[in-house]
Amino acid sequence: MKSIIKNGKIVTAGETFEADILIEEGVITNLGKDFDESSVDEVIDAAGLLVMPGGIDPHTHLDMPFGGTMSSDDFFTGHKAAAFGGTTFHIDFALQSKGSTMVEAIQTWKKKAEGKAAIDYSFHVALTDPVDSSVEEIPELLKEGVSSLKIFMAYKNVFQVDDSTFLKALKKSAENGMTTMVHAENGDAIALITEELLAEGKTAMGYHNVAHSAAIEAEATNRAVAFVEMTNAPLYIVHIACKDGLEAVRRGRKKGLPVMGETCIQYTYLTDAAIDTKDFEGAKYICSPPPKGDEDRDAVWDAIRDDTVQTVATDHCPFWFDGTKEGRTPGKELGKEGWHKVPNGVPGIEDRLPVLWHLGVNGGKISPNRFVELASTNAAKVFGLYPKKGSVSIGADADLMLFDPEKEHTISAETHHMNVDYNCYEGMKVKGWPKQVLVRGKTLVKDGEWLGEEGYGNFTPRKNFNEII
Ligand code: DUC
Ligand code: ZN
Ligand code: ZN
């Protein structure tokens, strides 16, 4: 299969230029002008469109057991929704079960995706069983194509590990050229404050933000950055949502430490006011860490602008608002009796790019090139996929988003493709929408029509010893 994309304006992390793209067997084989159209199967006219690398979402949770239920998107529905929103690759989390190995976790997650995947994907693995054999297993993960390891400082008695395991994992990962990632909230403090709040009968949704305060996130983030100072091991701090946490990362980076930061699209828009409602509506936005105050939301944008964070992900972890309906897994209603029982997570895999473009580029906060860095290229660099993914260059996979910067769209659960009954950006009128989305040269979405297929997506092994950006 041979195709040409012509007349588009190519926007990469580094440059904006006009060129046509020649694609052969899913790979970009030339950039130029006036390619011979007589010998190709398809010519795509991208006049008036921006041609960008497809989005890479480095943080998702599809088909994940959590909070007494399962996240509601699987590897097909989640991939379909991702593609509609311009995302062509994602990295999901395989979670170790206590008593099992991390390699087993990766194999379990590979099975979840096999035959369902519609876009390409990879996995991080979470070390949740804090025993020395887990740390010793770290180099084995590379044989599975996995080069990043996740540590939880929160979710006591579930995923959380102690500081000595965290430090050992950091060192072992660094020795093997792997990137450690961390969920930075103080799990012991959350557990204690939760107990105290419940003893006082404080079950309204807004108390989630008291138990998951900015101080709790910032303390763990500062501790994580200090651990980087002690070990000089690369660390990527996921889903940073508060000003003081961002400040810790900024300070670490100024010192030259190999620390990198991720924020999520919901933190650029939502605040704690969304959760702190009188009724149960607030449950929709309960996630950990939760969005915080106006000042924190402003700090997220500052961090996006000044490169304190290198990626904008989603932490996509959808749960039905009403999971009691036929055919649905239990959802947010599990927490009707209190915020502490609400499954943590928000949907966003489909919304990330249009919302980031609209608030960021149209809002005058970031350039189109910075958008590409945050949405795609930086994740490819950090996680060992670049330049195969995240770039428009000769030899790269033709994972492309043809983006119409003039197209207006109102985001709504009525029209989205995520397998969930609400949308965090309901009613937001965005300008800029993906018109056509390709993975390895195959069109998955065109003008709002699904042309992809279940099983097309490939597991993509990743390299180690990656760039620290
Ligand atoms: N936070 C969430 O809100 N959901 C999934 C896991 C996490 O850390
Ligand atoms: Zn997390
Ligand atoms: Zn997560």
Side-chain angles (χ1 to χ4, degrees), residues 59 150 152 183 239 288 315:
H59 189 153
K150 168 93 173 277
F152 286 91
H183 173 133
H239 55 41
S288 296
D315 200 6

Side-chain angles (χ1 to χ4, degrees), residues 127-395:
L127 188 162
T128 66
D129 196 356
V131 290
D132 284 343
S133 59
S134 296
V135 176
E136 289 310 312
E137 197 197 352
I138 289 172
E140 298 299 309
L141 307 174
L142 290 170
K143 294 182 193 148
E144 297 292 322
V146 169
S147 57
S148 44
L149 182 89
K150 168 93 173 277
I151 292 294
F152 286 91
M153 298 168 88
Y155 297 114
K156 194 171 179 176
N157 299 327
V158 186
F159 301 138
Q160 184 176 332
V161 300
D162 54 280
D163 286 349
S164 78
T165 304
F166 183 9
L167 278 163
K168 286 182 199 167
L170 266 171
K171 287 187 195 165
K172 192 60 137 189
S173 298
E175 276 164 30
N176 290 280
M178 295 171 62
T179 308
T180 305
M181 313 166 75
V182 68
H183 173 133
E185 287 186 296
N186 184 324
D188 286 11
I190 293 169
L192 179 67
I193 294 168
T194 300
E195 239 175 67
E196 290 171 356
L197 288 169
L198 296 181
E200 291 167 30
K202 293 179 169 164
T203 55
M205 297 303 122
Y207 289 108
H208 178 78
N209 283 75
V210 177
H212 292 258
S213 64
I216 275 175
E217 186 187 334
E219 184 283 321
T221 311
N222 274 285
R223 187 162 22 117
V225 174
F227 286 1
V228 178
E229 190 155 13
M230 291 173 209
T231 57
N232 205 33
L235 181 67
Y236 173 97
I237 304 181
V238 300
H239 55 41
I240 311 171
C242 72
K243 184 175 184 210
D244 291 345
L246 292 162
E247 194 46 47
V249 176
R250 186 175 287 118
R251 259 199 326 274
R253 290 175 65 80
K254 277 201 182 132
K255 278 189 186 173
L257 301 177
V259 62
M260 294 168 281
E262 169 197 277
T263 192
C264 295
I265 193 66
Q266 55 272 27
Y267 307 131
T268 69
Y269 180 65
L270 296 175
T271 66
D272 48 8
I275 299 174
D276 192 12
T277 53
K278 298 252 171 313
D279 54 16
F280 189 59
E281 278 290 298
K284 289 178 177 173
Y285 311 101
I286 284 189
C287 57
S288 296
K292 308 229 164 39
D294 289 351
E295 218 194 343
D296 298 284
R297 181 175 56 182
D298 292 348
V300 164
W301 278 111
D302 291 344
I304 285 172
R305 283 164 58 87
D306 76 2
D307 200 39
T308 295
V309 296
Q310 288 66 53
T311 58
V312 178
T314 58
D315 200 6
H316 179 75
C317 188
F319 296 101
W320 296 102
F321 185 55
D322 179 2
T324 62
K325 292 203 175 134
E326 174 93 34
R328 295 182 177 178
T329 44
K332 297 280 184 180
E333 77 284 352
L334 290 173
K336 278 258 155 84
E337 63 181 86
W339 59 271
H340 59 296
K341 295 247 168 108
V342 175
N344 282 206
V346 291
I349 202 166
E350 185 170 358
D351 309 311
R352 179 179 68 119
L353 300 187
V355 171
L356 182 62
W357 181 274
H358 186 70
L359 299 179
V361 179
N362 296 345
K365 293 181 168 75
I366 55 172
S367 69
N369 307 93
R370 179 67 177 152
F371 167 85
V372 172
E373 273 188 335
L374 293 160
S376 177
T377 307
N378 280 353
K381 288 182 175 173
V382 173
F383 293 113
L385 294 157
Y386 189 79
K388 181 180 167 68
K389 303 286 186 191
S391 88
V392 183
S393 61
I394 294 170

Side-chain angles (χ1 to χ4, degrees), residues 59-70:
H59 189 153
T60 61
H61 301 280
L62 300 179
D63 198 7
M64 183 179 79
F66 193 52
T69 182
M70 301 290 290

Side-chain angles (χ1 to χ4, degrees), residues 51-102:
V51 181
M52 303 189 242
I56 296 177
D57 190 341
H59 189 153
T60 61
H61 301 280
L62 300 179
D63 198 7
M64 183 179 79
F66 193 52
T69 182
M70 301 290 290
S71 58
S72 58
D73 264 320
D74 67 13
F75 280 80
F76 179 59
T77 61
H79 282 191
K80 190 172 168 184
F84 271 100
T87 287
T88 55
F89 193 93
H90 75 119
I91 317 180
D92 210 82
F93 288 87
L95 306 176
Q96 181 189 25
S97 305
K98 290 205 167 60
S100 298
T101 65
M102 290 186 282

